[in-house]
Amino acid sequence: MTSTAPAPATLQRVVRGAFADIAERLQDFKPQLVPREVGTIASVSTGIARVHGLPGVGFEELLLFPGGLSGIAFNLDENGVDVVLLGGYAHLHAGQEVQRTGRVVDVAVGDELLGRVIDPLGRPLDEGARVATRERLPIERPAAAIMDRASVTEPLQTGLKVIDSLIPIGRGQRELILGDRQTGKTAIAIDTIFNQHDKGVLCVYCAIGQRTSAVAKAVAKLREKGALAYTVVVVADGYDAPIGTAAERKTDDIWPGKWFDATGFARRYRVGTPSEAYHTGADLNLNEPYWDADKLSPVYAAASGVVTFSNRVAGWGTIIIIRHDPLVSSGQVLYGRYSHVTDPRVAVGDRVVRGQQIARVGNAEGVFAYHLHFDLSPTAILETQPWHWPKLNWNALMTNYIDPQAFIRQHRPKDR
């Protein structure tokens, strides 16, 4: 087969046509300058940033900080703006740039949320696709005036005869359920949701600080009764153990079943050797009924968040770092380090939910016995140095790590 080169005249016509088209488009192009109002961080304290240089910022406006961090402008004065930070802020420092967004913090609203399990910002926590709604509303907005509100004319029945006969509850009326733990408050709320079937009532079930198994059980009940079709489930907060079977994780044990911490937080180990150091977290082992019984056991995310590191590191095996979501109760952001693992199931940028399997227990590729080394850090040190190890530096240990057992004991979700 032979090919024939285009004639010079034909090639010239093509080139002239292309340049003519470019010239025409350049004549039609009108550059537009879009002004941006940019400020700088003056100081950072506990959960608050002081920002200078945003004269046009509005109250409760959403501001963007380096690293994708957001904040809400609350205190406005002539000399600057105080901003509540919505996430981990250890990487922030004075002089960094802050940008306005021109909008307040908002969340998605609409019928598309029905039947879904989401976090407080509307991000999906179930296996469904991203929630795409046609409308968003600010999280803080003026309530309707009293005279503009519809009267309470219809009853809202719980389906529990004792309550419905003794306590009149109207649609649109606030009603608070008070009681000690394990007295049936959630059961009353769930039964009330069941009783709204085919009655035109939309329900929102908020599970704040509840255990993953308890939330899953409630969602399964709602789905079984057909109530999830008119219900939105909002899940927030809570840290759980990163190991153990589903049945073991339903108990109140911090380390479920026969799992145990072989080393303990802040203990000196390998004493008298060149590798002597303070231990930064928990070495979770399962050595019954035989040594290395935890080999290849599932490793779960202790809380929801975003994976910032997932890779092999010499002497560590595979390390997975998760920047966990802020605790709703305090706004605190913790980084979880899951190390010596194998068979990673997540990659950098993936969003995980509490209780999702992320890897299997490994042995650092033969360096150690099989176990999971688990750390929690209140700083961003593990995001920049996933292999960080303070050795015998006590101040570095206390600054960058907390006792995972004590923290989970305090923040572990409980059945309601």
Side-chain angles (χ1 to χ4, degrees):
M1 177 181 292
T2 59
S3 59
T4 304
T10 302
L11 182 60
Q12 290 178 0
R13 285 196 300 270
V14 172
V15 173
R16 291 196 191 99
F19 279 106
D21 186 55
I22 294 174
E24 183 179 353
R25 292 180 181 274
L26 287 175
Q27 290 178 355
D28 295 337
F29 175 71
K30 296 180 179 180
Q32 295 182 349
L33 298 179
V34 180
R36 284 195 313 149
E37 193 170 321
V38 178
T40 56
I41 299 176
S43 62
V44 180
S45 56
T46 306
I48 303 292
R50 181 72 173 173
V51 177
H52 292 169
L54 295 175
V57 68
F59 180 64
E60 294 184 348
E61 181 176 338
L62 184 68
L63 303 179
L64 297 181
F65 290 80
L69 179 65
S70 301
I72 304 177
F74 266 97
N75 187 33
L76 312 180
D77 58 42
E78 294 181 357
N79 299 320
V81 182
D82 290 328
V83 184
V84 177
L85 301 173
L86 304 177
Y89 53 87
H91 64 287
L92 298 183
H93 57 79
Q96 288 182 307
E97 185 178 284
V98 183
Q99 299 182 22
R100 289 185 57 192
T101 63
R103 63 183 180 88
V104 298
V105 181
D106 55 15
V107 294
V109 295
D111 292 341
E112 295 84 356
L113 294 173
L114 295 176
R116 300 301 302 273
V117 181
I118 60 175
D119 68 6
L121 295 180
R123 297 172 295 195
L125 298 179
D126 52 18
E127 297 179 352
R130 184 179 66 88
V131 179
T133 61
R134 300 177 182 177
E135 188 178 3
R136 300 181 69 88
L137 289 178
I139 60 174
E140 297 285 350
R141 57 187 184 276
I146 298 296
M147 297 303 296
D148 294 336
R149 301 180 189 181
S151 301
V152 178
T153 58
E154 289 186 68
L156 187 136
Q157 297 177 333
T158 65
L160 304 172
K161 294 182 179 179
V162 174
I163 295 178
D164 293 336
S165 59
L166 295 178
I167 306 174
I169 304 175
R171 292 191 184 183
Q173 172 185 334
R174 295 184 180 95
E175 197 72 29
L176 186 62
I177 305 175
L178 295 176
D180 294 330
R181 291 186 66 247
Q182 303 295 333
T183 56
K185 300 186 298 297
T186 298
I188 292 175
I190 294 291
D191 288 342
T192 302
I193 293 176
F194 291 158
N195 201 52
Q196 307 314 308
H197 196 278
D198 293 331
K199 294 183 180 179
V201 177
L202 302 181
C203 304
V204 179
Y205 174 60
C206 295
I208 299 178
Q210 294 197 26
R211 188 176 305 163
T212 302
S213 58
V215 176
K217 185 177 179 181
V219 172
K221 285 184 177 179
L222 293 171
R223 183 176 287 111
E224 179 184 354
K225 299 291 185 180
L228 199 59
Y230 54 87
T231 303
V232 181
V233 179
V234 183
V235 181
D237 260 6
Y239 278 67
D240 214 340
I243 36 75
T245 65
E248 292 169 342
R249 291 158 68 86
K250 292 181 181 179
T251 67
D252 289 332
D253 297 332
I254 301 304
W255 306 135
K258 295 184 178 180
W259 287 86
F260 65 97
D261 183 0
T263 306
F265 175 71
R267 290 183 56 186
R268 293 178 72 158
Y269 73 115
R270 296 179 179 173
V271 178
T273 70
S275 57
E276 180 179 353
Y278 289 114
H279 200 251
T280 58
D283 279 338
L284 299 177
N285 288 253
L286 179 63
N287 294 328
E288 294 184 23
Y290 54 87
W291 189 255
D292 281 346
D294 49 2
K295 179 179 179 180
L296 303 183
S297 294
V299 175
Y300 306 99
S304 301
V306 177
V307 178
T308 63
F309 185 85
S310 179
N311 210 339
R312 296 169 60 188
V313 176
W316 287 81
T318 295
I319 298 177
I320 295 176
I321 306 294
I322 298 177
R323 182 177 63 240
H324 294 299
D325 294 342
L327 286 165
V328 173
S329 56
S330 64
Q332 184 179 25
V333 174
L334 295 180
Y335 288 79
R337 175 164 63 185
Y338 308 76
S339 56
H340 309 336
V341 301
T342 188
D343 188 20
R345 308 293 179 87
V346 293
V348 173
D350 286 352
R351 175 161 183 81
V352 298
V353 298
R354 187 179 68 219
Q356 175 181 334
Q357 183 177 351
I358 59 174
R360 293 183 180 275
V361 173
N363 61 356
E365 300 177 352
V367 177
F368 307 111
Y370 282 91
H371 72 283
L372 170 66
H373 178 84
F374 175 57
D375 296 310
L376 286 176
S377 172
T379 72
I381 188 70
L382 296 180
E383 186 167 29
T384 57
Q385 302 177 47
W387 48 84
H388 179 263
W389 199 252
K391 297 184 179 180
L392 289 176
N393 188 330
W394 179 260
N395 290 332
L397 174 73
M398 292 293 103
T399 299
N400 295 299
Y401 299 93
I402 60 175
D403 185 349
Q405 178 172 341
F407 182 86
I408 291 177
R409 186 185 303 277
Q410 184 178 359
H411 294 86
R412 192 176 188 188
K414 300 291 184 181
D415 293 317
R416 298 294 191 262

